Amino acid sequence: MHAAFFLLLGASLARYLLRHPWEFRSPWIIGLSVALAVLYTVGPVFGPHATPLRLVRLLTVVAVWVALVVLAPSFAWCAVPLLYTGLRALPTRAALALVVLLTVFVVAAQLQLAEGGFDPNLVLAPPAVAAIATAVFVHAERLAARQRVLIDDLVRTRRELAATERREGTLAERQRLSMEIHDTLAQGLSSQQMLLQAADRTWDSDPAAARGHVRTAESIAERSLAEARRFVHDLAPADLAEGGSLPEALRTLAERETTDTLTVRFHLDGTPAPLPDRVQSALLRIAQGALANVREHADATAATLTLSFLGDQVVLDIADDGTGFEPGSGRGPGVRGHGLPAIRARAEQLGGTLAVESAPGEGTVLSAAIPLESP
């Protein structure tokens, strides 16, 4: 519209100079044309907001245009860009009043330029064009306002969604950390407590056994300290962080969990394949949690860790010969704490499953299956 205004202004001035010989009005028309161009440039053309200064400049532009139309009716066509400028810069009622004023002057100018008598089209066409242009502009403004509201809603919804995702991520990380602590530090502290209590009971009657319990508690404390330092570093299991593979870490875990009353063995089935770090970490934590349940709840004498590579998945089985339990009875290891729910959550986070097979007096077998991505 701004380009159209300057084009129409230049064309109207050229038409006047070509069709009229130089006369007393010519300097006024040239001066008013230049003034109109300058006022339009520095006035309402910049910015849609109706500030008082901008309104004064707009009224000045309209006044100069009216003077030009009175002196040279051919400048009436410049009203079209002025119409849109007024609709942008003025409130609705004031803009409609300006549209009526511009239309009246356009009709008057067309009638003055008419040759060959009265033409009804010169009276009806300008108001019709003005009405259509105004309706189109008002409709477009309403659509733009709705779009702005919609965009604001979308932006606000996106921010709320991002905040919700951050909260969910925080809760998920807290749950993961709680499972990490339960499977390592908490279980280690619990084992130390049991061993130290056993040492206290046998300190006088069997000093050698008491010292053995203390040494075992010291070993567990050392491992717990390594795990705590690993939490600070990157939360990876210490056995894996030291550069060992998952089979080596499970074998070390089995040796460490073996005591005078519980024998833990490790068995590898299939050809080992490279596993993602998060899969190795999860399986090691599952083994630690399961053996902690065996030690505290199963009253078992033997347990076996079996790691099986089956091509499209890796399976970790933890079997014991303990007292067992009824899986659907609501009783069992870790029912009220983390225990089995934590182990199941670890498997499900990697898209895997956890199967529990147990019966009273027949031991328990946990089987965690984690799918592997195709190479």
Side-chain angles (χ1 to χ4, degrees):
M1 282 296 165
H2 302 328
F5 173 80
F6 290 108
L7 180 62
L8 290 172
L9 181 62
S12 300
L13 179 61
R15 181 182 184 279
Y16 174 82
L17 295 176
L18 290 175
R19 292 202 173 191
H20 298 83
W22 188 263
E23 52 185 359
F24 75 95
R25 294 183 301 175
S26 299
W28 286 99
I29 292 175
I30 295 175
L32 289 174
S33 299
V34 174
L36 182 59
V38 173
L39 289 172
Y40 188 88
T41 301
V42 301
V45 65
F46 296 112
H49 302 294
T51 62
L53 181 59
R54 186 168 290 114
L55 294 179
V56 172
R57 289 177 176 175
L58 176 59
L59 294 178
T60 305
V61 168
V62 173
V64 174
W65 173 80
V66 169
L68 271 175
V69 172
V70 172
L71 294 175
S74 59
F75 284 88
W77 289 109
C78 296
V80 177
L82 289 179
L83 182 145
Y84 278 100
T85 301
L87 289 173
R88 285 184 74 237
L90 295 175
T92 304
R93 293 184 179 180
L96 293 178
L98 178 62
V99 170
V100 173
L101 176 64
L102 295 177
T103 304
V104 169
F105 274 89
V106 170
V107 171
Q110 294 302 309
L111 291 176
Q112 187 176 354
L113 291 174
E115 299 177 356
F118 176 78
D119 187 353
N121 288 333
L122 299 179
V123 178
L124 299 178
V129 172
I132 293 174
T134 302
V136 170
F137 180 86
V138 171
H139 180 67
E141 284 293 305
R142 290 178 178 175
L143 290 180
R146 293 175 184 174
Q147 289 178 350
R148 285 192 293 270
V149 172
L150 178 60
I151 290 173
D152 291 341
D153 290 340
L154 290 176
V155 171
R156 183 172 59 256
T157 302
R158 185 173 63 179
R159 290 175 180 172
E160 293 175 355
L161 179 60
T164 301
E165 291 178 347
R166 285 194 296 269
R167 287 194 297 270
E168 291 178 352
T170 301
L171 292 176
E173 182 65 12
R174 288 178 179 176
Q175 181 183 10
R176 188 179 72 85
L177 288 176
S178 67
M179 293 188 297
E180 294 279 354
I181 294 173
H182 173 269
D183 292 343
T184 56
L185 299 181
Q187 299 294 353
L189 292 173
S190 176
S191 298
Q192 293 173 50
Q193 182 184 28
M194 295 173 60
L195 289 167
L196 292 175
Q197 290 175 349
D200 182 64
R201 288 193 300 268
T202 60
W203 191 265
D204 295 327
S205 60
D206 192 351
R211 285 193 294 271
H213 291 320
V214 172
R215 285 193 295 270
T216 303
E218 180 183 5
S219 176
I220 294 175
E222 182 181 357
R223 297 305 308 174
S224 298
L225 179 59
E227 291 287 356
R229 289 172 176 171
R230 183 52 51 190
F231 286 156
V232 176
H233 184 263
D234 60 359
L235 298 179
D239 292 328
L240 294 175
E242 293 172 356
S245 63
L246 178 60
E248 294 174 354
L250 291 175
R251 185 176 289 107
T252 301
L253 175 64
E255 294 174 355
R256 188 167 61 246
E257 291 294 329
T258 297
T259 63
D260 296 337
T261 58
L262 177 64
T263 301
V264 182
R265 296 183 176 86
F266 171 73
H267 178 69
L268 178 64
D269 186 12
T271 302
L275 297 176
D277 292 341
R278 60 194 186 107
V279 174
Q280 296 188 73
S281 177
L283 289 176
L284 181 56
R285 295 303 192 204
I286 288 173
Q288 290 173 337
L291 289 179
N293 288 335
V294 171
R295 184 175 59 250
E296 294 184 14
H297 305 287
D299 193 21
T301 59
T304 303
L305 298 177
T306 303
L307 182 65
S308 303
F309 290 87
L310 305 179
D312 60 344
Q313 65 178 350
V314 58
V315 179
L316 176 64
D317 297 318
I318 305 97
D320 67 75
D321 61 352
T323 57
F325 66 101
E326 186 65 39
S329 65
R331 299 180 179 179
V335 172
R336 296 183 180 180
H338 285 81
L340 288 179
I343 295 174
R344 190 181 305 277
R346 289 185 185 279
E348 292 177 351
Q349 286 175 356
L350 297 174
T353 58
L354 177 69
V356 181
E357 298 180 5
S358 183
E362 297 183 7
T364 303
V365 177
L366 300 183
S367 180
I370 308 299
L372 300 178
E373 297 181 358
S374 301

